[in-house]
Amino acid sequence: MKQYIFGVDIGGTSVKLGLFQTDGTLLSKWEIPTNIEENGSHILPDINTAIQEKIKEYALDKQNILGVGMGVPGPVEKNGIMHKAINLNWEEFNIVKTAESIFGFPVKAGNDATIATLGELWQGAGKGLNSMVMFTIGTGVGGGVVIDEKIVAGTFGSAGELGHITVNPTETTSCNCGKKGCLEQYASATGIVNYAKKCMTEKQYETSLSLETLSTKEIVSWAEQNDPLAKHIIEHTGELLGMAFSYAGCFLDPDVILIGGGVSKAGDILLNPIRTAYQKHVFHASKTTPILIATLGNDAGIYGSAKQFL
Amino acid sequence: MKQYIFGVDIGGTSVKLGLFQTDGTLLSKWEIPTNIEENGSHILPDINTAIQEKIKEYALDKQNILGVGMGVPGPVEKNGIMHKAINLNWEEFNIVKTAESIFGFPVKAGNDATIATLGELWQGAGKGLNSMVMFTIGTGVGGGVVIDEKIVAGTFGSAGELGHITVNPTETTSCNCGKKGCLEQYASATGIVNYAKKCMTEKQYETSLSLETLSTKEIVSWAEQNDPLAKHIIEHTGELLGMAFSYAGCFLDPDVILIGGGVSKAGDILLNPIRTAYQKHVFHASKTTPILIATLGNDAGIYGSAKQFL
């Protein structure tokens, strides 16, 4: 008898949904828009409609559905309480209990970056492994920790807040989180561009980078063409990331450390300085930990959401 | 029917043993010397003799003994392989399989600092909690991570190597581990004295500290009497520890963070700057994580060793 799980990844613009078999087969994948009007009160009912339609389409017996796993943009406490989610216009409420009463299925929910990490462990770059730390590097820096194939959520739902590790205690400008010197301030797409701007305004470099068109993509592209400033910027980013990766090694000594998110598309030119800095800073026993790029892309969230039931 | 577990903490000088009931009651606690002669080949047989005598003394039915848990001074891989343990004259071998064949009971083994963390969670400062990170600060700095009441051992058995987190990437002198800028270089008893020496030789301070009698205990004592240099040294130590504690918060958001080991006896004068730095550097959701002093002292190892079976 086959059993099924729905995986739901709720973002500010769209909700990604997946229907999975328990063996990891993705039977169907689709999206619906996120309607954040009226305090986001339509979001869960809209997801319910989408799920019920899919159940009809596949003529599933509801008794064979293990549950609905969700990834949400914010910390979820162990009791199911989710705090303010600005992207969704949600105030604090118990997302697990509320969703269970709407869907009529068991629900599990977690922070989206952590959930994506679980997805990568289940069917992505960490398939077959037991423990993993993932750094997700896009506009910001997020992350997740998986130990023994289970998400580490944290007491306040904020385990895996890897963008807010202090890497520069002497920083004077503030991160979006209110602290100073966070990894996100230097290693996110935004942070990389800010660092480039700082280099270009503080000193004259021979570089093909232009302040007008500056983007992480452009910096990576010029670094690949050996532009000295572009190379320096990517190496600087890699060094900070590699040091943060080494903390993952010292605390958790995981099977693998992944880099996901848009910035991970830079590939080897970023991975190489990360690996060098990781090996320089990690305890010697963990020097050979593989550092790899995530493979599931935007689907990691629906995979991880479903995996919560396994 | 009552069930029993032996907890064994193997150190370079003595082996501490405890006979526990599964409810955490310590029925008997004793020590035997560690005989490291002939490649430490007497250690496990000596432990076996001690255990068998205790079984007779308490007239225990062997069927009611769940097993023998051990804490050892070095990393243990998941398969039971332990690498070179210099303190014990041990070369690489499978400690779990070997001990099981000698004792005739199931055996579980882990790194002593990690095992002590589990002990504190079971019956010490973290009693009743689910997750914990402990920094053990003595001659060196060790540590442990417990998630969901289970030890995080790590792929290479080196999770919780918290003394080797890089806190100063620009350091030029080497740590015992071979890296540069490790927490242990500044926050261990040795590191604190080294930093004091550096301060006293680099610059004239008005201080009651004397280079001849310098010790962590003396520095703490003078800091409590408001000696400016002694206070600066303890605050410097607390700032580095608090930053490392904040990494525990960002990665794992645990229920509690503990400080154990001899240096933790400094108490509030060290805890206060640790808490200040922790709150400055941790992600805001985890700002209220309790930072406490471990309570089991040298018994944490036998408690944690036994808890491995529960």
Side-chain angles (χ1 to χ4, degrees), chain A residues 232-258:
Chain A
H232 163 73
I233 293 162
I234 296 300
E235 276 164 16
H236 174 260
T237 308
E239 278 166 23
L240 290 174
L241 283 169
M243 194 162 74
F245 281 33
S246 79
Y247 300 158
C250 290
F251 275 98
L252 298 165
D253 182 24
D255 288 344
V256 63
I257 304 176
L258 289 197

Side-chain angles (χ1 to χ4, degrees), chain A residues 272-300:
Chain A
N272 289 336
I274 289 177
R275 287 180 177 140
T276 303
Y278 174 80
Q279 286 167 11
K280 181 178 168 193
H281 291 299
V282 81
F283 187 62
H284 53 77
S286 308
K287 264 198 193 340
T288 58
T289 308
I291 294 176
L292 305 174
I293 291 178
T295 58
L296 294 179
N298 289 333
D299 290 346

Side-chain angles (χ1 to χ4, degrees), chain B residues 7-307:
Chain B
V8 180
D9 184 13
I10 308 179
T13 313
S14 71
V15 178
K16 295 183 184 66
L17 296 103
L19 170 61
F20 292 87
Q21 286 176 188
T22 48
D23 65 0
T25 307
L26 175 57
L27 297 175
S28 177
K29 171 175 101 167
W30 74 109
E31 287 190 25
I32 60 171
T34 310
N35 179 358
I36 63 169
E37 284 175 20
E38 295 172 84
N39 297 324
S41 62
H42 299 285
I43 298 174
L44 294 178
D46 287 354
I47 292 170
N48 187 48
T49 306
I51 288 173
Q52 302 299 338
E53 283 172 4
K54 192 61 62 175
I55 290 173
K56 274 191 202 149
E57 184 188 332
Y58 279 74
L60 301 178
D61 183 340
K62 287 193 179 181
Q63 287 193 318
N64 295 335
I65 295 168
L66 291 184
V68 180
M70 299 201 296
V72 294
V76 181
E77 292 189 18
K78 281 178 192 167
N79 53 13
I81 297 285
M82 195 185 163
H83 296 279
K84 219 178 170 72
I86 297 166
N87 293 351
L88 308 180
N89 276 339
W90 278 352
E91 296 293 327
E92 181 174 309
F93 76 122
N94 191 312
I95 185 167
V96 171
K97 286 191 180 165
T98 309
E100 282 182 340
S101 73
I102 295 175
F103 302 164
F105 293 113
V107 167
K108 296 191 181 191
N111 180 292
D112 49 12
T114 305
I115 291 289
T117 309
L118 186 62
E120 288 288 343
L121 188 93
W122 189 32
Q123 298 292 334
K127 192 170 175 173
L129 300 179
N130 182 270
S131 61
M132 176 195 279
V133 176
M134 180 157 90
F135 288 74
T136 308
I137 305 171
T139 319
V141 175
V145 175
V146 174
I147 299 292
D148 269 340
E149 296 185 50
K150 299 264 178 268
I151 283 168
V152 178
T155 306
F156 300 106
S158 69
E161 284 292 353
L162 308 185
H164 302 290
I165 292 168
T166 299
V167 292
N168 179 7
T170 62
E171 179 61 79
T172 52
T173 62
S174 289
C175 178
N176 288 331
C177 78
K179 299 200 303 137
K180 286 171 182 161
C182 294
L183 179 63
E184 179 166 299
Q185 285 182 271
Y186 316 98
S188 64
T190 324
I192 294 169
V193 168
N194 285 344
Y195 181 70
K197 279 184 189 159
K198 194 178 162 212
C199 290
M200 291 168 81
T201 49
E202 277 181 0
K203 196 180 147 190
Q204 284 289 346
Y205 279 91
E206 276 193 44
T207 179
S208 305
L209 292 174
S210 140
L211 268 173
E212 284 70 40
T213 60
L214 212 54
S215 71
T216 302
K217 206 173 161 186
E218 196 203 331
I219 297 166
V220 168
S221 167
W222 280 112
E224 284 167 344
Q225 293 165 71
N226 279 317
D227 180 272
L229 177 60
K231 274 186 76 174
H232 162 72
I233 294 162
I234 296 300
E235 276 164 15
H236 174 260
T237 307
E239 276 165 24
L240 290 173
L241 283 169
M243 195 163 73
F245 280 33
S246 79
Y247 300 158
C250 290
F251 275 98
L252 298 165
D253 183 24
D255 287 344
V256 63
I257 304 177
L258 289 197
I259 166 169
V263 173
S264 71
K265 290 181 187 151
D268 281 345
I269 203 156
L270 179 60
L271 270 183
N272 289 336
I274 290 176
R275 287 178 177 141
T276 303
Y278 173 80
Q279 285 167 11
K280 181 178 169 193
H281 291 299
V282 80
F283 187 63
H284 54 76
S286 308
K287 263 198 191 350
T288 58
T289 308
I291 295 177
L292 304 175
I293 292 180
T295 59
L296 294 179
N298 289 332
D299 290 347
I302 54 172
Y303 275 94
S305 294
K307 169 68 176 158

